[in-house]
Amino acid sequence: MTLIKSISGIRGTIGGNTGDNLTPIDAVKFAAAYGTFIKNKNSEKENITIVVGRDARISGKMISNLVANTLVGLGIDVIDLGLSTTPTVEVAVPLEKADGGIILTASHNPKQWNALKLLNEKGEFLNGEDGAEILKIAENDATIEFAEVDDLGLYKKKKDYIKKHIKEVLKLRLVDVEAIKKANFKVVVDGVNSTGGIAIPALLEELGVKCVELYCEPNGHFPHNPEPLKEHLTDISELVVKENADLGIVVDPDVDRLALISEDGSMFGEEYTLVACADYVLGQLGGGNTVSNLSSSRALRDVTEKHGGTYTASAVGEVNVVQMMKDTNTVIGGEGNGGIIYPESHYGRDSLVGVALFLSHLAHKKMSCKELRDSYPSYFMSKNKIQLTPQINVDKILETMADKYKNEDVNTIDGVKIDFAEEWVHLRKSNTEPIIRIYTESTSQENADALAKRFITEIQQIIQ
């Protein structure tokens, strides 16, 4: 089955059978459920507005037309941003004083996938309670009532929002435009033939950065696996060296994950994108609190404590990170997958903000990208999983592991995370398949792999 319904939206592959894949009928059904939820939430308002934007996936225009016209059919006004980015839609919702937003993107999934990602009136992802209510409405479509002809919504296109988003980024007080311009950076950009190929070069032009474009045509034909991991980024790594560039910038199709390549072609590391940006922000502010999820690198904690701040770990998932950031008055946070959340801009992962903060940091440090990376604590991660049969009680396994290591620093807000003196392991069950994910981090790759192997063996012994 390749249709995944969750509290954060609906995701699936294009084509196939209704209910098993993301077909036009499924897109309409879920858009109608979301629209109905927004109408119910704002029952006293006369006019409801929802912002819609999409990445450059081949199916994007089709899904966008279906979603927009479904909302119009409900009597909801639609502002269509066309080709956009996830953070751009998040920024647009409050700027337009809209009641919600839908981003049509399957993030880092391959081109056959698409998804509806749902926002509230603040331009933030819905919480679990709201997401569950939308799923309930979708399952009982008798509660969905479409508008009569005189009450249909209005449809309006606004195609300049990436430029507006860039202006908002440039206005941030810690984005040092003049320092970046003086640094005369040369950067290679891999936009994976999606909307990052529009947004990132346009931002760099405003920052006075010379840009070499690689895969920046927004045609939806991804030239490599769109998840920005080392094994997928050989082309840009080679081009950075060939062009004698200062660094490489890689984003995923919806531009909420940022990976960096050092001048020698080596990976700066997705985990260290947030570390570097936090180092800059905390240094400029004289301290502050940070948040990342439980599966993110310990390096963020080290950098935060170096600046006198407090680091807090949240459950995995952007909505959980955001809530913890609000609870702890955090100045910057995000996820170890290259997601930067900077509250002064908005509570959403934003690669444009990340690029501007990182280049400001690099310009102030007056060192190379590789030298900057080498200045941070070095940790190495290993990511594994154990395939289980559906009959196995995963929760019981995790409870057993938590009890076994109860004398260590154990966190159970999301699976089981066990912190040792120089390394950690995080065990999580999947919500969609019978597996346990095993994330480890240590002071060397060999130690991280060995720690993962040890816990895999211990879990297998429990199962037998």
Side-chain angles (χ1 to χ4, degrees):
M1 178 178 268
T2 48
L3 184 67
I4 302 170
K5 302 174 185 177
S6 72
I7 59 173
S8 60
I10 184 170
R11 179 181 302 223
T13 51
I14 299 299
N17 298 319
T18 302
D20 289 333
N21 304 81
L22 185 56
T23 68
I25 292 172
D26 293 292
V28 168
K29 179 180 178 180
F30 207 76
Y34 171 73
T36 298
F37 167 80
I38 295 294
K39 286 178 67 177
N40 293 343
K41 188 178 178 183
N42 299 277
S43 56
E44 296 180 1
K45 288 188 69 173
E46 186 174 342
N47 296 311
I48 305 294
T49 301
I50 291 176
V51 176
V52 177
R54 65 182 178 91
D55 69 14
R57 289 172 187 273
I58 298 166
S59 62
K61 190 172 183 179
M62 175 192 72
I63 298 294
S64 180
N65 287 338
L66 290 164
V67 167
N69 285 308
T70 299
L71 297 175
V72 168
L74 287 166
I76 296 172
D77 296 340
V78 173
I79 297 175
D80 185 356
L81 307 188
L83 287 173
S84 189
T85 76
T86 286
T88 302
V89 178
E90 292 171 343
V91 167
V93 169
L95 287 179
E96 291 294 327
K97 297 180 173 58
D99 302 286
I102 301 179
I103 306 153
L104 305 171
T105 174
S107 192
H108 61 271
N109 286 101
K111 68 177 182 178
Q112 63 266 35
W113 288 79
N114 212 328
L116 283 68
K117 295 164 72 171
L118 311 175
L119 306 176
N120 63 20
E121 74 282 357
K122 296 177 182 178
E124 300 169 13
F125 286 111
L126 300 180
N127 60 34
E129 184 179 345
D130 290 344
E133 178 62 24
I134 292 168
L135 288 174
K136 184 178 176 182
I137 294 170
E139 292 305 312
N140 182 20
D141 54 18
T143 61
I144 298 172
E145 184 177 350
F146 289 93
E148 296 183 7
V149 67
D150 291 330
D151 299 319
L152 295 175
L154 302 176
Y155 174 82
K156 181 190 300 182
K157 287 186 177 181
K158 288 194 174 183
K159 294 189 174 182
D160 61 344
Y161 247 96
I162 287 179
K163 290 182 180 179
K164 288 185 178 181
H165 184 185
I166 290 171
K167 287 182 180 179
E168 293 295 314
V169 172
L170 297 178
K171 287 193 297 186
L172 295 171
R173 59 193 170 118
L174 293 188
V175 173
D176 195 335
V177 177
E178 291 309 310
I180 294 171
K181 287 182 176 179
K182 288 178 183 177
N184 294 315
F185 290 127
K186 181 180 182 182
V187 174
V188 179
V189 175
D190 180 353
V192 72
N193 284 344
S194 190
T195 48
I198 303 171
I200 302 299
L203 171 65
L204 293 177
E205 183 177 0
E206 292 295 322
L207 292 171
V209 176
K210 184 177 180 181
C211 178
V212 178
E213 296 184 10
L214 174 69
Y215 308 135
C216 285
E217 184 180 351
N219 57 25
H221 293 282
F222 305 148
H224 54 76
N225 185 309
E227 187 167 13
L229 301 177
K230 178 181 179 179
E231 56 268 29
H232 307 148
L233 303 178
T234 54
D235 288 354
I236 187 171
S237 295
E238 293 172 0
L239 191 56
V240 166
V241 175
K242 181 180 178 182
E243 289 286 341
N244 197 27
D246 295 290
L247 69 151
I249 292 173
V250 186
V251 292
D252 64 339
D254 67 326
V255 202
D256 64 357
R257 288 175 61 175
L258 172 63
L260 303 166
I261 313 289
S262 296
E263 72 278 4
D264 64 348
S266 65
M267 294 294 296
F268 192 85
E270 261 194 318
E271 290 287 335
Y272 284 81
T273 302
L274 175 57
V275 173
C277 290
D279 185 28
Y280 173 65
V281 170
L282 297 176
Q284 293 295 308
L285 297 179
N289 298 334
T290 65
V291 169
S292 64
N293 67 41
L294 284 167
S295 292
S296 299
S297 176
R298 188 179 280 184
L300 180 62
R301 183 201 67 181
D302 294 350
V303 166
T304 304
E305 292 176 350
K306 180 188 76 173
H307 289 287
T310 299
Y311 165 78
T312 308
S314 78
V316 174
E318 183 172 331
V319 67
N320 297 317
V321 174
V322 167
Q323 187 58 55
M324 185 66 76
M325 289 178 68
K326 293 178 178 180
D327 292 344
T328 57
N329 194 28
T330 292
V331 295
I332 189 169
E335 298 182 288
N337 59 11
I340 307 296
I341 303 175
Y342 188 47
E344 188 173 319
S345 176
H346 64 109
Y347 278 106
R349 296 183 305 181
D350 191 334
S351 294
L352 279 75
V353 170
V355 166
L357 291 176
F358 183 83
L359 291 178
S360 297
H361 189 32
L362 202 59
H364 281 230
K365 282 289 189 179
K366 292 183 169 57
M367 60 173 61
S368 74
C369 197
K370 185 68 165 59
E371 288 171 336
L372 179 63
R373 172 62 182 84
D374 290 343
S375 72
Y376 295 124
S378 267
Y379 293 106
F380 300 81
M381 296 188 78
S382 182
K383 299 181 181 182
N384 301 270
K385 61 184 178 181
I386 298 178
Q387 191 74 39
L388 306 172
T389 61
Q391 294 76 27
I392 293 175
N393 188 333
V394 178
D395 291 325
K396 185 65 176 176
I397 293 172
L398 296 180
E399 287 173 15
T400 302
M401 296 302 292
D403 183 65
K404 180 177 180 179
Y405 288 94
K406 61 186 177 183
N407 293 327
E408 303 291 344
D409 183 2
V410 178
N411 187 318
T412 57
I413 64 169
D414 183 8
V416 177
K417 183 174 184 181
I418 306 164
D419 267 294
F420 302 102
E422 293 188 336
E423 55 192 13
W424 55 259
V425 59
H426 187 198
L427 312 172
R428 295 182 69 235
K429 73 171 184 177
S430 170
N431 293 323
T432 58
E433 52 185 327
I435 63 173
I436 294 178
R437 300 188 188 280
I438 302 173
Y439 302 94
T440 60
E441 182 177 70
S442 191
T443 52
S444 72
Q445 192 62 57
E446 292 77 11
N447 288 345
D449 291 339
L451 184 63
K453 186 176 180 180
R454 168 184 150 192
F455 272 83
I456 289 171
T457 300
E458 290 183 14
I459 291 171
Q460 288 172 337
Q461 288 172 346
I462 295 171
I463 294 170
Q464 292 173 353

